[in-house]
Amino acid sequence: MLTPNGFAVVNTSNLALVDSLGTVQGSRWEKYLELRSQVIDLETSLAEEWFSPELMSALRSENLRGDLTEKRKEIVKQVKAQAVGYLRSGPFNSRRLADTVNYIRLNESDFVKWHKSETAKLFAPPIFRN
């Protein structure tokens, strides 16, 4: 389904999103519509603070086409885990997010857009000079 920013990285095109949260009170369809917009907001936050809008946009497109590489599938898996975890119990897991960013940092050739982004600069270690 289209969103204002394209497609969600987390698969919001079916009711599996609802099922991933366990038992639901009321209409699954209504819950799906509610969760879908929440996931899009969560992904936007993750993009701005951790993964960059550029990388998230690329992951959305690749996920839609079904041509994610194994390393990029791992990032999609982590984004999904963060979104579902947030919906279940609250804040993002910052330790896991830091590990995921380190994975991106260590695989520069697979995540060129991230490395060229403003978001990547947030994770650049300071350089101290005497």
Side-chain angles (χ1 to χ4, degrees):
M1 294 189 163
L2 281 174
T3 69
N5 298 321
F7 289 81
V9 171
V10 175
N11 184 4
T12 59
S13 62
N14 62 44
L15 295 173
L17 176 62
V18 176
D19 297 337
S20 69
L21 296 174
T23 306
V24 174
Q25 299 276 332
S27 165
R28 286 177 72 220
W29 179 249
E30 292 297 323
K31 187 65 174 175
Y32 162 78
L33 293 175
E34 175 189 332
L35 292 174
R36 183 178 175 277
S37 63
Q38 289 177 12
V39 167
I40 292 165
D41 287 342
L42 293 172
E43 283 186 9
T44 300
S45 294
L46 289 170
E48 291 169 354
E49 298 173 29
W50 296 90
F51 302 121
S52 86
E54 298 86 352
L55 177 58
M56 290 292 267
S57 178
L59 292 173
R60 284 182 187 108
S61 297
E62 293 166 23
N63 199 25
L64 175 65
R65 291 190 310 264
D67 62 1
L68 290 161
T69 65
E70 287 305 311
K71 288 181 180 176
R72 291 168 87 84
K73 280 181 188 176
E74 182 60 30
I75 301 306
V76 169
K77 178 180 155 189
Q78 293 303 320
V79 170
K80 181 177 182 178
Q82 288 292 326
V84 170
Y86 189 96
L87 292 170
R88 283 184 179 160
S89 61
F92 294 124
N93 181 328
S94 60
R95 178 72 244 148
R96 185 167 266 175
L97 285 166
D99 289 344
T100 305
V101 167
N102 283 333
Y103 181 82
I104 292 169
R105 290 177 71 204
L106 293 172
N107 291 284
E108 186 171 352
S109 63
D110 295 292
F111 302 100
V112 173
K113 288 185 186 244
W114 185 86
H115 284 274
K116 292 182 178 182
S117 73
E118 290 297 311
T119 306
K121 292 177 185 175
L122 299 173
F123 298 94
I127 299 173
F128 297 101
R129 299 177 198 254
N130 288 333

